[in-house]
Amino acid sequence: MPARRSTASLLLVVALALGVAACVAPSESSPDTAAPSAPATPTAIASTCVESPETVAALEPTAESTSAELDAGLVASLDATVLATLPETTAPGAVVGVRTPEGTWRAAYGSADAATGEPMAVGMHTRVGSVTKPFTVSLIMQLAEDGLLGLDDHLAEYVDGVPNGDRITLRQLADMTSGVGSYTFNPAFTDVFFAAPQTVFAPDELIAAGIEVSPRFDPGTSYEYSNTNTVLLGVIAEHVTGSDIGELFAARIFEPLGLDQTVWPGSSTDLPEPYAHGITWQGDGASADAPLDATHWNPSWGFTAGEIVSSVDDLLVFGRALGTGQGLLADESQVERLTSFPGSAGYGLGFGCVDGWVGHTGELPGYNTAVFHDTTTDTTVVVQTNSDIASGDCDESPVRASDPRTLPCSSPATRIFAALSTTLGHTFTPNPQH
């Protein structure tokens, strides 16, 4: 019998929040097309996840030190951590990177192609899924700095036909409190995608599928992770600039940061060489014994919620820029971003925060990525894996029959990243996955 993972796992972000608007990953149950009753309006709690946002935003680039090698003892510990953790995942291989003020370490493990056994290599490209979202929100914040839009503008000023669009702000789209349902909850979308993953989807089709499962709640009264939010922001960016989103990413983020191995694929199924092949249990015809190779599934369904392709070196640069704002945003905007998390943890303007770690995960068929920056130590960690299949004691996501289920449920990159964070001396503890 084909094994189809829940549609909510598409582009899944790690559940990051503990605050007033509970930041929980979308339900892994069957898609719910009925809008639930609106919860009570939450009481605002001052953001305390980043200890000194002004200090973090004022950090200067550290290019002169990042070319150095990390201490050999630390490297040995990091290497041992990955070697011990990778077998606890379902990923054939992984590329990892760590950058501190003292230097950089990168390494590759396992195979890039489960079918051929080709070894994984540093520099291989992968689809980074929802790590695209902080790129998109960074772009929106740049456009706000330029006066082309405002974060408190209402959605209806730019896009017609979205329920509550006259009350939803761009800020609420960015921090997932809009109440707009994710199109990945809509069987009208997922049935087509799983049956024919080469289908090209236009952004308007994705938005329409999201509208059909909206509203989920009144704007600003709760939190729910929705890919439709970030697709809407991408469409708005194109609208106010008159430029294609790929051109905007290139001109405003890729080129200024020197991300020459990061690409916007559009509707092309190609990946830049070299690249890792990704395996998944999602999709019609997949089974536990025969996962599908999702490498060349059409990425258009992700648009500005999940299309970007990148490499470890570029993600290390972007991860630090995301945490500090350097090369992305003015200090004032970065401080606003680092104070956008609800309470001591949560999801803010395009990314999440737990105990000073800021960043995002990306999960889509075949790939799982983690990009996080530790604002307490100026350390960036990147993990790329070529599987999105969970492992551990998962209630809803399928795991291998041989899995002892003795570990907490986790996606591959998240498990490796959490282990590395402990080795680095500042443990990242993700909320439970299912």
Side-chain angles (χ1 to χ4, degrees), residues 210-265:
I211 288 173
E212 288 180 1
V213 293
S214 299
R216 304 285 290 181
F217 48 81
D218 282 344
T221 63
S222 189
Y223 166 96
E224 185 175 78
Y225 189 78
S226 171
N227 297 303
T228 314
N229 285 333
T230 325
V231 169
L232 283 163
L233 290 176
V235 168
I236 291 168
E238 290 188 325
H239 172 74
V240 301
T241 62
S243 297
D244 173 82
I245 193 68
E247 296 172 351
L248 290 171
F249 279 142
R252 287 179 167 267
I253 299 180
F254 300 169
E255 292 172 7
L257 291 180
L259 308 183
D260 56 6
Q261 297 299 310
T262 302
V263 299
W264 172 256

Side-chain angles (χ1 to χ4, degrees), residues 80-158:
T81 297
V82 180
L83 289 172
T85 309
L86 182 59
E88 299 173 346
T89 76
T90 57
V95 178
V96 300
V98 173
R99 176 163 292 164
T100 78
E102 286 71 46
T104 300
W105 169 75
R106 303 162 302 146
Y109 300 84
S111 63
D113 187 340
T116 67
E118 177 188 2
M120 188 71 89
V122 170
M124 281 189 163
H125 296 84
T126 62
R127 302 190 188 279
V128 301
S130 284
V131 174
T132 302
K133 289 180 172 69
F135 281 87
T136 301
V137 177
S138 296
L139 172 63
I140 289 293
M141 295 188 72
Q142 289 177 353
L143 298 177
E145 288 181 344
D146 292 346
L148 295 176
L149 52 77
L151 293 181
D152 295 314
D153 291 350
H154 289 102
L155 173 58
E157 297 177 40
Y158 305 98

